[in-house]
Amino acid sequence: QQQQQQQRRQQQLAKRSIHPSRVGAFDGNRDSDLKSLGESLSEDGPAEVDVIADIYPDVIADIYPILEINDLAPNLAHVKPMLSSDAKLVLADVGMEFGADTAPGFVADVFQSIPDHAFKIQDATRESPSRVNVESLFTGTQIKPLLPFFPPGKNVCFCCHHTFEFNPMGQIREHRVYFTLHASLQPSIIEGLSQASLTLASTSSGSCLLQDAMAAEGIGATGCAQLVQQLRGHIRATAASPHGNHVLQNFIAAAPSACAQFILAELSGHAVEAAKHQQMGRVVERLLEHCSDAQRAGLEDELLPHAAGLCRHAFGNFVTQQLLEHGSAKTRSALIGIICAEAGCFARHKATCNLVRRALVVADDAQYAALATARAPDRESLVSLSKTRLGSYIVRELKHQAKLWTFCCSV
């Protein structure tokens, strides 16, 4: 197989009039490399992407010495030929994007804002013929506000993941940057992330950055609370975000329940709406799981009058399952009463089937008997239920719980 791949590669090289000895023979100087590449191409079109990929990972090493200097302006003429006409620089964590005309200027502004910057490449790998990944370490002190999560006047250290996409001519089509945490979480990092948490929570990679910070060793409740401080007043929007909801979920799980009071306060009066929302419902679930009984009481009072509708809802049923497990005895009893009244329908409904199973697990003896009787009052009903796709799961749970009951009695 390797021989066949090598033969195909030789054929591609021959098709583009590039002699195999020329591949990898470029000297690392961008201008001479471009000239050599141009001389190597035939007139029928650009070189194959996989050929270019062998040449241009080395060009990345030519890019970074330029980026390491303090003044980029004199070198812009050297940088621009490296970029395709539609090139873009993307800071994914904060959703900032720059085109081929503005990216070099932005990089220059970054270096002016962080005059003591230090940039060190840790590793470089080729992911595909047209993509190269670079891992680096970036340190520095921002003296003028530019990068949102760099606190002014304080030194920070971030790990950076760079993804370079090349076009068939070997020019950079996209440079995407992701920031990750260094081994040690500096107080200045927490401060920087907290001042940009609203923006970070709105992006996929920024959300992951905040979650990693919350999970870092030694951050503590104070550090977690600082990270979400900027989200106050924006809880409903953050909870509805496909990325921000994960930040709130992790915060609720990581911090003491008292720290989550402001989230409860902002969701108060909107709990039913939140429970029916795909993302917001997850935040409500975490609140029911981790908050104190006193904090849960307000949510229970708001949700319980709408429990029958929530039980049938595609997302609301997950919230009612958490109410069953973590709610007060009064709430659990009321929910089981609703399930018993609708047992015939609930056992065959996709959204409520798991709710019935959860009720069988958390119910006490009297409640379990009521559920079992309501759902399968006789053997014929039990057999009929077991023959349905969803009902079979409930019958299996009934049998499992009955075995547990028999075992406990024997002990």
Side-chain angles (χ1 to χ4, degrees):
Q1 186 177 2
Q2 290 178 348
Q3 289 177 349
Q4 291 175 351
Q5 291 176 347
Q6 188 174 4
Q7 288 175 358
R8 285 197 299 269
R9 186 166 184 75
Q10 297 289 343
Q11 293 170 359
Q12 290 174 344
L13 292 171
K15 184 187 296 185
R16 295 304 181 186
S17 304
I18 302 178
H19 192 274
S21 63
R22 298 294 302 276
V23 178
F26 294 81
D27 62 10
N29 180 278
R30 177 69 188 191
D31 295 331
S32 61
D33 282 356
L34 284 174
K35 183 179 179 182
S36 298
L37 179 63
E39 293 172 351
S40 300
L41 297 176
S42 63
E43 295 180 356
D44 59 346
E48 297 289 341
V49 171
D50 61 344
V51 175
I52 297 298
D54 276 349
I55 300 170
Y56 279 95
D58 294 333
V59 175
I60 293 177
D62 189 39
I63 295 173
Y64 283 101
I66 298 172
L67 299 185
E68 288 172 351
I69 63 175
N70 287 327
D71 188 5
L72 192 65
N75 296 275
L76 288 180
H78 188 76
V79 173
K80 287 185 177 180
M82 300 180 185
L83 309 177
S84 65
S85 59
D86 60 344
K88 58 182 179 180
L89 167 66
V90 181
L91 301 185
D93 302 316
V94 289
M96 298 174 71
E97 185 173 316
F98 304 89
D101 295 333
T102 56
F106 172 75
V107 174
D109 290 341
V110 169
F111 293 156
Q112 290 177 2
S113 299
I114 311 175
D116 64 339
H117 69 272
F119 192 92
K120 184 178 180 181
I121 297 177
Q122 307 280 61
D123 188 28
T125 57
R126 191 180 89 175
E127 180 182 326
S128 69
S130 61
R131 175 178 291 187
V132 175
N133 295 325
V134 177
E135 305 293 337
S136 67
L137 199 64
F138 185 90
T139 60
T141 308
Q142 183 168 253
I143 59 174
K144 294 188 294 184
L146 183 63
L147 294 177
F149 48 92
F150 279 62
K154 295 186 179 180
N155 186 271
V156 294
C157 177
F158 277 104
C159 296
C160 299
H161 175 81
H162 308 258
T163 299
F164 288 90
E165 288 277 358
F166 293 92
N167 68 9
M169 291 299 297
Q171 295 174 310
I172 297 174
R173 181 168 53 200
E174 180 178 284
H175 176 192
R176 190 172 288 268
V177 184
Y178 303 88
F179 288 85
T180 57
L181 299 177
H182 193 242
S184 59
L185 187 61
Q186 307 162 282
S188 57
I189 292 284
I190 299 175
E191 181 182 343
L193 294 177
S194 65
Q195 72 184 23
S197 59
L198 190 58
T199 301
L200 292 169
S202 67
T203 68
S204 176
S205 57
S207 171
C208 291
L209 189 59
L210 288 173
Q211 293 173 65
D212 289 343
M214 290 180 192
E217 185 178 354
I219 185 171
T222 303
C224 285
Q226 185 179 355
L227 285 173
V228 299
Q229 182 67 28
Q230 198 180 64
L231 303 182
R232 288 177 179 269
H234 305 276
I235 292 302
R236 289 174 62 197
T238 304
S241 164
H243 312 301
N245 81 88
H246 295 291
V247 175
L248 293 178
Q249 288 186 71
N250 275 266
F251 171 70
I252 294 166
S257 59
C259 296
Q261 185 59 43
F262 75 98
I263 300 177
L264 282 164
E266 292 193 38
L267 289 179
S268 179
H270 307 280
V272 177
E273 172 196 351
K276 293 181 178 180
H277 191 279
Q278 184 174 9
Q279 281 79 37
M280 296 175 76
R282 298 169 185 167
V283 176
V284 177
E285 289 179 56
R286 299 295 86 75
L287 289 170
L288 291 170
E289 284 180 13
H290 297 281
C291 285
S292 66
D293 293 342
Q295 290 175 311
R296 267 195 299 266
L299 273 178
E300 293 178 37
D301 291 343
E302 191 172 343
L303 293 171
L304 197 55
H306 305 272
L310 290 174
C311 288
R312 297 182 180 88
H313 194 273
F315 306 124
N317 82 90
F318 295 108
V319 174
T320 53
Q321 288 182 50
Q322 296 300 330
L323 276 174
L324 271 172
E325 185 169 351
H326 302 285
S328 65
K330 178 183 176 182
T331 297
R332 185 180 302 115
S333 178
L335 285 172
I336 289 178
I338 293 172
I339 295 171
C340 287
E342 300 284 348
C345 175
F346 279 15
R348 290 178 169 83
H349 193 282
K350 183 178 180 180
T352 53
C353 175
N354 286 326
L355 179 65
V356 176
R357 295 172 64 192
R358 179 67 68 93
L360 290 169
V361 173
V362 303
D364 59 27
D365 295 344
Q367 292 168 341
Y368 176 82
L371 285 166
T373 303
R375 181 49 282 200
D378 50 46
R379 181 176 180 80
E380 184 180 346
S381 299
L382 186 65
V383 172
S384 175
L385 180 64
S386 67
K387 292 181 179 179
T388 64
R389 185 174 67 87
L390 296 174
S392 64
Y393 295 111
I394 294 176
V395 172
R396 191 180 306 168
E397 192 65 50
L398 283 166
K399 290 180 178 179
H400 177 67
Q401 295 298 325
K403 287 180 181 179
L404 287 178
W405 169 252
T406 302
F407 174 76
C408 292
C409 288
S410 64
V411 173

